Amino acid sequence: MNVLHRYPTLADVAHVRQGHAFRGAIPAVADGPVRVIQLKNLTTPATLSPEHLLRTRLSSRHSPRFVEHDDIVLANRGTRPFAHLLIRPPAQTLCSPHLYIIQVTDPELLLPAFLAWQLNHVDVQRQLRRQSAGSRQHSVRKCAVEQLRLRIPSRSTQQRIISVTQALQSTRETFNALMQARDAEITALAERMLQERAA
């Protein structure tokens, strides 16, 4: 692979494929053995929650390509094509056709977590928006994703960026939890005040 130049393309360092080709609407099966990651599950770059994934059962006899740990899922439609790093996804999990699955070919050179971070970086998001096609609904072609230009620093720098990003995400989650708890307290207080006034 040609990964020695300064700004390799995504195709130089990863494989890109489209999600599973379901025929028509995906039937929901409460106890289905297969989970499906859909476009609606990618509204933010946060970690996907398995309990929010649709469950189904496949009728095809062909063995599908399930996603794996450290795969990256990228939306190919919408104005914000967020990338999500999959951390130990449930067994037998697929992606809908509106998603790309990206697998790093050399994790020693490029950490999957760093690639996911870079795909969400403003510069790469700008590239994706420029390449999007379609007047009604923005869509990104596979070839455009493969030709994205990346910046790959040393492995130690990648790890530092991942660490500070994870720390920021943890802080954000803690802050959001505190805000939700505070909102609940204020709502309960207001309700008590209304009841006291009514009495």
Side-chain angles (χ1 to χ4, degrees), residues 3 5-16 72 74 102 104 109-111 114-121 123-125 127-128 144-153 158:
V3 295
H5 47 84
R6 188 177 180 186
Y7 298 109
T9 65
L10 183 61
D12 290 325
V13 295
H15 291 306
V16 182
I72 298 165
L74 177 71
I102 301 170
V104 172
L109 171 73
L110 176 61
L111 297 172
F114 177 80
L115 177 57
W117 172 84
Q118 187 160 173
L119 289 172
N120 288 324
H121 189 275
D123 290 342
V124 176
Q125 287 286 310
Q127 290 184 61
L128 287 170
V145 174
E146 291 176 328
Q147 293 307 307
L148 287 170
R149 289 289 176 181
L150 306 174
R151 291 180 291 175
I152 303 180
Q158 292 180 47

Side-chain angles (χ1 to χ4, degrees), residues 46-70:
T47 303
L48 290 171
S49 299
E51 61 271 17
H52 294 153
L53 303 181
L54 180 144
R55 299 185 70 149
T56 190
R57 191 180 304 277
L58 300 179
S59 57
S60 173
R61 295 181 180 179
H62 300 291
S63 298
R65 293 185 63 183
F66 297 115
V67 296
E68 302 174 7
H69 175 68
D70 273 350

